[in-house]
Amino acid sequence: MQIGVLAIQGDFAEHRAMLARLGARAIEVRLPAHLAGLDGLILPGGESTTIGKLAVDFGLMDPLRAFARQHPVWGTCAGAIFLSRDARRSQPLLGLMDITVQRNAFGRQVSSFEADLDIEALKSASGTHAPYHAIFIRAPIIESVSGEASVLARLPDGRIVAARQGNLLATSFHPELTSDLRFHAFFLSLIEQA
């Protein structure tokens, strides 16, 4: 299995390491030609405005949209913003997922936090019923889901932090910064089912 990781900005190396631990081949994607032959794609955390502007500069916007129509794509943190239809501000977005996000919903870097999440889809896919320990760094909130999108995880206060829409996956948190492989394994299972 060959999984692309958008490598124009952000924490793509950490995703590559997680995929390698699961035995998947990770390919850094910087140009449209790098999408050829991939089975799925991860849009990493970083800075969503910068990712969007660089994707425009490198001619990636339409190729990424076309790829996502045929293959699973997962956006983490800034990548989730980049996938969304609405970020409540003007910035380049792929506009693929029926979610509205609020950038930096928890405040500045100093307000970053960790939380245990009860994620039924993850439990079902992994057979492990332990909560998922999530890391939130200047994280967005998924304010709402509509259309075909559905909620995968919420914080204890009810705010949405993970959603799925067919082959599209969005998480507000950073699974690549943990030692827990379950979310990456879940993404690989989506690819196998596609």
Side-chain angles (χ1 to χ4, degrees):
M1 193 177 295
Q2 292 195 115
I3 312 301
V5 182
L6 188 64
I8 56 177
Q9 197 267 339
D11 53 354
F12 54 88
E14 291 83 353
H15 280 291
R16 287 188 63 217
M18 295 293 271
L19 292 167
R21 288 178 57 200
L22 289 167
R25 184 164 179 236
I27 308 295
E28 292 184 2
V29 173
R30 291 186 177 89
L31 298 170
H34 298 159
L35 294 167
L38 298 179
D39 300 301
L41 178 68
I42 296 174
L43 308 172
E47 208 293 310
S48 64
T49 305
T50 301
I51 291 170
K53 287 178 180 178
L54 290 171
V56 169
D57 289 346
F58 292 128
L60 279 162
M61 296 298 281
D62 287 337
L64 287 172
R65 290 181 183 116
F67 183 88
R69 284 193 281 277
Q70 303 294 323
H71 303 88
V73 175
W74 173 22
T76 63
C77 197
I81 296 167
F82 190 44
L83 266 180
S84 75
R85 289 207 192 277
D86 184 3
R88 299 212 179 271
R89 60 177 283 172
S90 179
Q91 69 181 78
L93 300 173
L94 292 175
L96 295 169
M97 201 165 174
D98 294 326
I99 58 175
T100 298
V101 295
Q102 178 188 350
R103 297 172 76 242
N104 303 328
F106 300 102
R108 301 166 62 100
Q109 189 90 6
V110 65
S111 301
S112 299
F113 67 99
E114 300 179 19
D116 288 334
L117 302 176
D118 184 38
I119 306 173
E120 191 56 43
L122 203 58
K123 290 178 181 178
S124 298
S126 68
T128 303
H129 293 283
Y132 187 84
H133 190 74
I135 298 172
F136 295 83
I137 301 172
R138 293 182 62 222
I141 279 294
I142 300 170
E143 289 183 342
S144 64
V145 298
S146 61
E148 299 294 315
S150 61
V151 175
L152 284 183
R154 294 178 185 269
L155 289 172
D157 66 8
R159 290 183 286 181
I160 303 166
V161 293
R164 179 179 174 192
Q165 181 177 326
N167 287 333
L168 303 176
L169 185 62
T171 56
S172 296
F173 46 91
H174 289 270
E176 73 283 5
L177 299 181
T178 73
S179 60
D180 191 334
L181 294 170
R182 287 181 292 165
F183 236 106
H184 286 79
F186 177 64
F187 181 62
L188 295 183
S189 75
L190 295 182
I191 294 169
E192 290 170 354
Q193 296 166 20

